[in-house]
Amino acid sequence: MNHDADVVVAGGGPVGLMLACELALAKVSVVVLERLTDVDTTIKAGAINSPTAEAFYRRGMLPGLAEAQREAFERFGSFLRQRRAAGATGVKQPPKFAGHFAGIMLRGDLLDASDPDFDGPGPAAEVGLVPQEALERLLGARAAELGVDLRRGVTLTGFDAGEDGVQVHTSEGSLRTGRLVGCDGGRSTVRRLAGFPFPGTAPEITGRQALVEMTGADALGAGWNWTSTGTYAHGPLPGRILTVEFDGPPADREAPVTAEELEASLRKVSGVADVRIHKVLSATRFTDNARQVPDYRAGRVLLAGDAAHVHSPFGGQGLNLGIGDAMNLGWKLAATVRGWAPEGLLDTYTAERHPLGAWVLEWTRAQVALMRPESHTRALRGVLAELTGTVDATTFFAKKISGAGQRYDLPGSHPLTGRSAPDLVLSDGTRLAGHLHGGQGLLLDLADDGEVRKRAAGYGDRLRVLTAGCPERPGLAGLLVRPDGATAWAADSPGGPDAPDELDAALRRWFGTPDAAAA
């Protein structure tokens, strides 16, 4: 079949754009279909976790994240100044933020920074407060640099998937492709038309988040607040509010969110009768609908992000989970398209990402349960709030929320195997992340071992081989890093007798068969 593009991605939000960038980096032609004509400015996620920051760092985009965070901190400072000017008492800069669980804030000054799970991100650890809109703009610019064909204002209307390709139908005609990936959100058209099962739990709450212009806000508590009628949050940006009511899902999620609706909800949940909302700048509704497809692939059709899993936004996991899907899928799909993928490589996408998605669903369900406005839940919340005042509990929850310590169940006995590769500082002054900008795999020979380099011969542009020392980890002899940053093999010095064979197995498992002529 002649294809108009190797891959068509439905959905040009952060997940679809990240996937498209990964494919383009691997010289795979990709078309992105996005129904919106411009970047979505609706208020959504406000932060990223460690794996997401590392992913951008490894592709050379950390400066853009840092600038977006600087702007976010300026808006946070503006919120504090407005609170003080309005006469709100007790307004002060909070301790270093380490996340929250069900609105229970985690204090960064109680975090055990020596925990080994926090060791490794390098400069990426300094970036976190990045709004989704800024992330999408950064990825849009990156996609343009890489030559991604982003078609805005184009809607996917249907498709026909066969054994040799997919005919994709859009509002502007049809195109042929080898693979179709649905990154088109929680109400995914691709998922529905492909017939993916979507089991899970039905919604029980109505949540609203908005940026508004209002008066009477000085009577609202800053941060997260629980009342007998629900939960609300105020800040950390000027005019940002969030309410949660526990009396069922909204009657119509598609209806515009009005100032009257937001004002009524905020008054009901906060008990502040004098608050008035005069203008809605951005608003959205959400529920705790929690569902996940059992398999992220059906033949030539795949899903990523909210198309594969939906849940409430508590804990800020959704955007990050989707970026992780894109990073995991991108290089594997590219390898499949280019013809060098070892057998079963694409199947590892579901095998590795589904368990993380299932955990996020349970994590968000637990938070909804802990936010309910009834006496037994309030008592339990009090116990947990006291518990999170300890170093051990803060460290446990912060590791989960930040994604630190996430790992895939990969073959190999070394403690680093399956973990995000540490951002090693090498003897030539470079850092590991800087050698991943091209989206290839990386084999670090840290012991100047000719046998290691011999095993890596014949992989061409699939794999970079670098011999360098690492003074900060003199006991580490070698590291094999997949394109997504996961450690596929590691060995200490002196390596055991099986280390070369384990390396050979890892190379073939993730990078296929080397070219015999070059090996």
Side-chain angles (χ1 to χ4, degrees):
M1 174 192 287
N2 292 322
H3 296 150
D4 298 304
D6 294 323
V7 178
V8 168
V9 175
V15 177
L17 289 174
M18 189 72 173
L19 176 61
C21 288
E22 288 297 290
L23 293 169
L25 201 60
K27 299 180 175 57
V28 169
S29 62
V30 56
V31 171
V32 179
L33 309 175
E34 170 52 50
R35 63 179 180 82
L36 298 179
T37 57
D38 204 349
V39 173
D40 188 0
T41 60
T42 305
I43 181 171
K44 292 183 180 178
I48 60 174
N49 68 5
S50 183
T52 296
E54 287 180 283
F56 278 71
Y57 176 38
R58 288 166 177 156
R59 297 300 185 256
M61 293 187 282
L62 193 62
L65 292 184
E67 175 59 22
Q69 177 171 265
R70 184 193 63 77
E71 294 173 356
F73 275 132
E74 287 184 356
R75 291 193 293 272
F76 177 52
S78 177
F79 171 73
L80 293 180
R81 290 191 293 272
Q82 286 183 15
R83 293 278 294 172
R84 294 190 187 103
T89 59
V91 178
K92 60 182 179 179
Q93 184 80 23
K96 181 181 177 182
F97 180 58
H100 75 85
F101 184 79
I104 300 172
M105 308 308 288
L106 304 175
R107 291 173 46 184
D109 58 338
L110 292 176
L111 194 66
D112 179 8
S114 68
D115 189 293
D117 282 340
F118 291 120
D119 182 28
E126 302 302 317
V127 177
L129 193 64
V130 180
Q132 182 165 327
E133 180 186 343
L135 205 68
E136 186 173 334
R137 292 188 186 280
L138 182 62
L139 283 169
R142 175 65 167 166
E145 290 175 5
L146 293 171
V148 170
D149 185 358
L150 172 57
R151 303 182 184 181
R152 288 197 171 274
V154 179
T155 303
L156 180 145
T157 57
F159 60 86
D160 301 299
E163 293 184 1
D164 58 350
V166 184
Q167 184 81 17
V168 179
H169 310 295
T170 80
S171 56
E172 293 191 354
S174 297
L175 64 159
R176 305 281 290 178
T177 183
R179 301 289 191 292
L180 171 64
V181 186
C183 300
D184 50 343
R187 283 162 276 187
S188 168
T189 299
V190 174
R191 183 188 65 232
R192 176 175 55 82
L193 294 180
F196 283 89
F198 204 37
T201 51
E204 298 180 0
I205 69 170
T206 295
R208 301 171 178 88
Q209 183 177 206
L211 283 175
V212 301
E213 294 179 0
M214 59 183 171
T215 53
D218 52 298
L220 296 172
W224 287 82
N225 303 267
W226 300 271
T227 72
S228 60
T229 52
T231 300
Y232 77 94
H234 180 211
L237 305 178
R240 186 260 185 174
I241 58 171
L242 180 148
T243 66
V244 185
E245 299 179 48
F246 294 81
D247 51 3
D252 183 2
R253 280 196 65 182
E254 300 299 323
V257 183
T258 65
E260 292 76 17
E261 177 185 347
L262 290 168
E263 183 178 296
S265 180
L266 187 57
R267 287 185 175 189
K268 174 183 176 181
V269 175
S270 69
V272 177
D274 294 332
V275 65
R276 292 292 308 275
I277 294 178
H278 304 283
K279 185 177 181 180
V280 179
L281 306 177
S282 177
T284 185
R285 295 186 193 87
F286 62 87
T287 73
D288 58 336
N289 181 37
R291 301 181 182 278
Q292 183 182 26
V293 296
D295 194 323
Y296 291 7
R297 180 168 72 98
R300 291 179 173 268
V301 181
L302 302 100
L303 302 177
D306 289 350
H309 38 69
V310 295
H311 49 83
S312 76
F314 302 129
Q317 298 294 325
L319 171 63
N320 296 297
L321 188 61
I323 294 294
D325 290 348
M327 286 296 292
N328 188 285
L329 175 60
W331 70 277
K332 296 174 181 177
L333 185 53
T336 302
V337 170
R338 293 183 59 188
W340 62 258
E343 184 177 357
L345 179 65
L346 205 52
D347 293 329
T348 66
Y349 168 52
T350 295
E352 292 177 359
R353 296 303 299 174
H354 193 280
L356 283 174
W359 169 78
V360 167
L361 263 65
E362 289 295 272
W363 187 258
T364 56
R365 288 181 180 119
Q367 292 181 81
V368 171
L370 199 61
M371 297 168 74
R372 298 186 189 283
E374 52 92 20
S375 58
H376 290 77
T377 300
R378 284 197 297 271
L380 181 59
R381 191 164 57 240
V383 171
L384 189 62
E386 186 175 353
L387 183 63
T388 54
T390 67
V391 170
D392 287 347
T394 294
T395 302
F396 169 80
F397 280 102
K399 285 198 296 185
K400 292 289 190 180
I401 291 168
S402 70
Q406 277 185 10
R407 66 178 301 158
Y408 296 134
D409 185 15
L410 305 186
S413 58
H414 195 280
L416 287 176
T417 303
R419 298 285 299 274
S420 176
D423 187 37
L424 303 176
V425 179
L426 305 177
S427 55
D428 62 1
T430 63
R431 305 187 73 114
L432 183 147
H435 297 283
L436 295 174
H437 288 184
Q440 303 156 298
L442 175 66
L443 177 61
L444 273 179
D445 167 25
L446 299 172
D448 197 7
D449 188 338
E451 182 62 26
V452 166
R453 296 192 294 274
K454 179 181 177 182
R455 299 279 175 150
Y459 284 96
D461 66 354
R462 303 176 228 170
L463 183 70
R464 290 190 63 190
V465 181
L466 177 65
T467 299
C470 182
E472 68 181 30
R473 296 207 183 188
L476 190 60
L479 204 66
L480 177 63
V481 184
R482 301 188 325 190
D484 60 353
T487 303
W489 169 86
D492 291 328
S493 181
D498 296 330
D501 292 336
E502 290 176 356
L503 171 59
D504 189 59
L507 285 166
R508 291 177 179 272
R509 177 182 179 86
W510 301 113
F511 298 98
T513 304
D515 180 65

